[in-house]
Amino acid sequence: MTTVTSGSTTPQQTRPAVAAKPVRWAADAVATMREGARLRLDHSAQSLWRVDRVITGIRDEGAPYAAVETVLRGLGAYAGEVIVRETGGEWWTTGGDHWVRTPDGRLWDPIDEARRCYTGDGSLRLLCRDATGPG
């Protein structure tokens, strides 16, 4: 959605309000990884290799899910932001869950995929590959 702000002659991109929470969660995850793990995340599809490895490391340390739930939510939201930026998609919400809808109409759940990574059943890198590939 493009709007023109008051006193401005150039259009400015705005994001739907539904994106506010996952965008904030993703930003928090980027800051946490930068400060705590000295890991720079640049919102590229390639960076999701590192995110998958971080989640594997957390799982291998035996951290209980309750202790890492917020981190996983943030890393999933980060992956969602990568998909949004790579595809031109947008965040959707229903029943408190946040999804990414790609321009081809498909829905993706990167936050749940991060949880699945933690259990050894998922991959944010592969989710992004699937979301950005042909539908």
Side-chain angles (χ1 to χ4, degrees), residues 7 14 20 28 40 47-48 61 74 76 124 128:
T14 59
D28 289 348
R40 283 191 107 24
S47 69
L48 295 176
E61 290 174 5
L124 293 172
C128 181

Side-chain angles (χ1 to χ4, degrees), residues 89-104:
E90 62 185 344
W91 283 100
W92 281 49
T93 187
T94 179
D97 293 328
H98 291 81
W99 303 73
V100 171
R101 182 177 181 267
T102 50
D104 59 12

Side-chain angles (χ1 to χ4, degrees), residues 18-87:
V18 71
K21 282 184 180 180
V23 168
R24 185 177 65 244
W25 297 333
D28 289 348
V30 168
T32 299
M33 290 297 109
R34 183 181 58 242
E35 294 165 13
R38 302 274 189 248
L39 179 66
R40 283 191 107 24
L41 299 177
D42 61 4
H43 289 89
S44 68
Q46 295 80 13
S47 69
L48 295 176
W49 282 88
R50 293 186 296 270
V51 174
D52 277 348
R53 285 197 310 265
V54 164
I55 294 172
T56 298
I58 292 169
R59 181 182 67 238
D60 290 349
E61 290 174 5
Y65 178 78
V68 297
E69 183 176 7
T70 301
V71 171
L72 293 172
R73 182 186 67 191
L75 293 173
Y78 170 78
E81 273 298 289
V82 171
I83 294 167
V84 165
R85 293 176 186 203
E86 292 274 327
T87 66

